[in-house]
Amino acid sequence: QVQLVESGGGLVQPGGSLRLSCAASGNIFSINTMGWYHQAPEKQRELVATITSGGRTNYADSVKGRFTISRDNAKNTIYLQMNSLKPEDTAVYYCYAAIIPSYGSSWYPYWGQGTQVTVSS
């Protein structure tokens, strides 16, 4: 079994900051790409940012310059530092990981349970 556990969501005023964390645990041989997606009410889940095991990052245009994704491979953990938050960033944020559970196996996608981020005055 593999688990992704997110933390760090909450309510913040516009212009404020939050830091999300996501830790993967369980039957893990290695992890390829990890990332964050968000889903606002009545909208589809969208990519926010991803990071490879080698540290290469990719961001949605809407968060470039405001959000920073980072990764600690030793802890199987990623972080999302969110600065200059806007009301339109309000959504449930989901952690994603492409995990290889054992040597020689294929990779499988896993998702966290989601953490709510609300940006409001």
Side-chain angles (χ1 to χ4, degrees):
Q1 294 286 349
V2 172
Q3 277 192 317
L4 299 181
V5 178
E6 301 126 331
S7 61
L11 172 65
V12 64
Q13 292 187 342
S17 297
L18 282 175
R19 188 185 191 220
L20 306 183
S21 300
C22 171
S25 62
N27 293 332
I28 298 172
F29 175 74
S30 66
I31 306 178
N32 291 338
T33 297
M34 299 184 76
W36 294 94
Y37 289 69
H38 68 194
Q39 187 168 16
E42 301 182 0
K43 291 190 176 181
Q44 290 189 335
R45 192 171 297 188
E46 298 177 334
L47 179 145
V48 176
T50 60
I51 185 167
T52 67
S53 57
R56 187 169 65 247
T57 58
N58 179 50
Y59 294 93
D61 287 343
S62 61
V63 306
K64 283 180 180 177
R66 300 189 298 123
F67 291 9
T68 301
I69 190 170
S70 59
R71 178 168 175 165
D72 185 336
N73 288 328
K75 297 181 179 180
N76 290 335
T77 298
I78 59 170
Y79 307 92
L80 186 68
Q81 178 66 44
M82 304 185 292
N83 298 329
S84 302
L85 281 159
K86 305 175 181 179
E88 51 264 43
D89 294 319
T90 296
V92 178
Y93 282 70
Y94 295 93
C95 177
Y96 165 85
I99 292 175
I100 299 174
S102 59
Y103 176 78
S105 74
S106 181
W107 65 268
Y108 298 89
Y110 290 89
W111 293 91
Q113 79 285 356
T115 185
Q116 177 70 46
V117 171
T118 302
V119 185
S120 175
S121 55

